[in-house]
Amino acid sequence: MKRNNTIDILKGIAILLVVFGHICWEGISHEYLWGFHMAIFFFASGIFFSTEKYNNSFKNFFKAKIKGLIFPYIIFYLLTYVYWVLIESRFRGGELSRVDQLIGLFYGTYNVNYNDFNGALWFLPCLFTMNIYYWFLNKINNNVARISTVCAIYLICFYLNPYLSLLPFGMFAAAISLVFFEAGRMYRPYLDKKYPIYGYVILIGIAIAIQILLQGKALSAWRVNETSDNPLKFTPFTTLPSFTSRQGIILFVIIKHLLRQAHP
């Protein structure tokens, strides 16, 4: 697929939101940002998912994802691990086991016992696992059947999260976030289309109305979850994030089309 500059711009904005979300640890801004900033990346990844690019060969696909996601993950993990052992552990995380943190390289899921020194790297093995999942889901040619399967996976993961959330290599986060990946894939045919400006106004109005109606309940559920022992309390996949992620993706799509119309 041809490179889309507006998507690149929006991914850059999403990266800044991720940085801001990690700086701002309190208040409503933190809660909302953590609700949708990663969902946007999964959505964007779904837009550009392709099997034709690899001649429909799982071997080629797998090798490309290893090269594009796992190699960078290993390199950054080891580099930051050495930095943490030699320098940062003197100021932060010095109580953590060096051996356990190195084991985290193979575990690939953020956890206070493994990969706590650089938990942000969870995204790369998670996205790798998600692509592998979707390779097989993509074999379901019927859209309704595929979407139904993805939704069923989401519901199963949602209700079983205390038992599945710590599976290695982001297997749980990848499974429950397939809904965003699938949404991106379904959006792809509309990527370069232009729509009347009133269409965007209507979408924004709907998004704001939903937010006003559900905001109080969603925030309340998020705060209850945040103070519980739920292992997902600091991940973007529980009650409030499942709500704000949809809002964030809608806004992402609206801005993308407005940029497209401003710069054809």
Side-chain angles (χ1 to χ4, degrees), residues 9-261:
I9 292 171
L10 289 173
K11 284 194 291 186
I13 294 172
I15 289 171
L16 293 176
L17 292 176
V18 170
V19 173
F20 183 75
H22 281 78
I23 295 173
C24 178
W25 280 92
E26 295 181 359
I28 194 171
S29 58
H30 164 76
E31 293 170 339
Y32 274 109
L33 286 174
W34 277 64
F36 70 85
H37 61 207
M38 297 314 300
I40 287 176
F41 287 104
F42 293 133
F43 178 80
S45 298
I47 292 175
F48 296 104
F49 177 86
S50 172
T51 59
E52 294 80 6
K53 180 179 176 181
Y54 308 100
N55 297 319
N56 294 312
S57 166
F58 179 74
K59 180 180 178 181
N60 294 341
F61 178 79
F62 186 82
K63 287 169 63 177
K65 297 306 173 184
I66 289 286
K67 181 179 179 181
L69 295 171
I70 300 305
F71 283 176
Y73 164 70
I74 293 172
I75 292 169
F76 279 105
Y77 196 104
L78 293 177
L79 286 175
T80 54
Y81 176 79
V82 171
Y83 163 77
W84 172 73
V85 168
L86 296 179
I87 301 174
E88 190 174 346
S89 61
R90 300 168 185 255
F91 312 100
R92 183 183 74 92
E95 73 284 358
L96 299 173
S97 164
R98 270 62 166 169
V99 174
D100 286 347
Q101 296 306 302
L102 187 57
I103 291 173
L105 172 66
F106 307 99
Y107 180 51
T109 294
Y110 172 70
N111 181 272
V112 293
N113 297 315
Y114 308 101
N115 190 22
D116 187 61
F117 74 96
N118 192 359
L121 287 175
W122 70 269
F123 178 73
L124 293 176
C126 176
L127 186 58
F128 170 80
T129 302
M130 185 180 295
N131 273 274
I132 300 303
Y133 285 162
Y134 201 82
W135 173 276
F136 296 103
L137 282 169
N138 190 56
K139 302 294 183 184
I140 305 175
N141 294 321
N142 184 282
N143 287 341
V144 174
R146 189 179 64 255
I147 293 171
S148 299
T149 302
V150 169
C151 290
I153 292 171
Y154 174 84
L155 290 173
I156 291 170
C157 290
F158 183 85
Y159 287 109
L160 295 181
N161 74 72
Y163 312 101
L164 304 178
S165 60
L166 297 180
L167 287 173
F169 243 62
M171 293 172 64
F172 171 76
I176 202 169
S177 302
L178 278 168
V179 289
F180 308 127
F181 199 92
E182 174 65 35
R185 181 69 191 283
M186 295 301 295
Y187 168 69
R188 186 168 67 184
Y190 309 97
L191 186 64
D192 294 318
K193 291 188 177 181
K194 295 184 178 181
Y195 301 97
I197 194 68
Y198 65 79
Y200 303 117
V201 174
I202 292 172
L203 276 176
I204 292 173
I206 291 173
I208 292 174
I210 293 173
Q211 185 139 344
I212 291 173
L213 288 171
L214 300 181
Q215 174 177 313
K217 183 176 180 181
L219 278 174
S220 175
W222 170 257
R223 288 177 179 132
V224 168
N225 180 60
E226 192 173 32
T227 57
S228 73
D229 292 328
N230 187 336
L232 284 183
K233 63 182 179 181
F234 289 125
T235 64
F237 307 113
T238 45
T239 306
L240 174 66
S242 65
F243 156 67
T244 56
S245 60
R246 292 190 292 271
Q247 305 300 93
I249 288 173
I250 289 173
L251 185 60
F252 181 89
V253 170
I254 291 171
I255 295 174
K256 185 268 167 199
H257 281 286
L258 290 176
L259 286 172
R260 178 71 177 174
Q261 295 206 152

